Amino acid sequence: MKIKIILFLFLTACVFGSNQSIEDGYINIKGTRLFILPPKGFKESKTIIGLEKDENTMIQVMDLIGGNYESNALTYTKSKFEEKGITVLNFEELKIDGYKAKMAHIKGQDGYESLQVVFGDNTFSAMVMCLFLTQDRNEILPEIKASLLKIKYDTNLKVDPFASSAFKVEKN
């Protein structure tokens, strides 16, 4: 009987005590503490830290652990973009996973647009930049924006510093 109880407790711990605190469908961007629900057609990139759909559409992630959102986002404003001659299609302040955030939809060069979000607190600052063709805006923008608004960030996740590297370190 004791063996059955111990086995039951062990199996319960394995099923419910897993280290997965993020809901199904989310993937961790390697080398970061950020989790995202990928938009339809996006997969992990082999060339950048982030996701890609095709050669013109990608989501790049920068996670500054130990950074400070307040100081990093100080100049991330609509007026600062416009001072540099950048056309801002939309700018809003919001919350991402409970953290202060700023989101900018920017008109780029050569028929590209960018949707960017920066968020964090006094212990980190993360930035996610999405690049897509203007001609694809109506199709891709709602999906990308929905993904960005549902980002999860796990401050307790231990990041493997080599997870996103393009090389391997061997024991020898």
Side-chain angles (χ1 to χ4, degrees):
M1 184 66 169
K2 284 184 183 180
I3 291 176
K4 286 182 182 180
I5 292 172
I6 291 171
L7 183 59
F8 173 76
L9 291 174
F10 175 75
L11 291 174
T12 303
C14 289
V15 171
F16 296 107
S18 72
N19 198 18
Q20 183 65 299
S21 62
I22 307 298
E23 295 100 43
D24 288 338
Y26 280 84
I27 62 168
N28 173 238
I29 301 300
K30 290 178 184 165
T32 76
R33 298 188 296 189
L34 187 137
F35 291 79
I36 191 168
L37 275 170
K40 186 176 78 178
F42 280 77
K43 61 185 182 305
E44 288 183 78
S45 175
K46 291 179 177 31
T47 57
I48 61 167
I49 298 173
L51 307 171
E52 58 189 16
K53 182 175 183 178
D54 54 42
E55 60 196 32
N56 297 310
T57 313
M58 61 94 177
I59 299 173
Q60 185 171 13
V61 177
M62 289 173 272
D63 186 5
L64 184 57
I65 298 169
N68 185 313
Y69 167 79
E70 295 298 334
S71 61
N72 291 345
L74 203 56
T75 58
Y76 192 87
T77 64
K78 182 177 181 179
S79 61
K80 289 291 183 186
F81 283 125
E82 291 172 339
E83 283 175 19
K84 295 176 184 175
I86 298 170
T87 302
V88 179
L89 302 171
N90 187 38
F91 191 92
E92 55 189 300
E93 293 190 26
L94 42 89
K95 295 232 182 222
I96 301 289
D97 197 25
Y99 297 102
K100 287 183 181 180
K102 295 180 181 182
M103 182 180 282
H105 180 192
I106 297 169
K107 184 163 179 52
Q109 298 176 346
D110 303 323
Y112 280 92
E113 292 181 17
S114 177
L115 184 64
Q116 307 173 1
V117 65
V118 60
F119 68 98
D121 62 16
N122 64 350
T123 65
F124 79 95
S125 181
M127 182 173 200
V128 182
M129 297 184 306
C130 310
L131 187 66
F132 54 92
L133 289 170
T134 298
Q135 68 191 33
D136 297 336
R137 176 194 308 163
N138 293 338
E139 173 194 343
I140 199 75
L141 183 61
E143 290 182 38
I144 290 175
K145 187 171 183 180
S147 262
L148 295 184
L149 292 173
K150 294 177 185 170
I151 284 173
K152 303 286 183 191
Y153 193 85
D154 185 353
T155 57
N156 297 316
L157 183 68
K158 299 293 182 217
V159 176
D160 176 1
F162 299 110
S164 60
S165 66
F167 59 89
K168 293 182 181 179
V169 177
E170 306 235 350
K171 292 179 184 177
N172 297 338

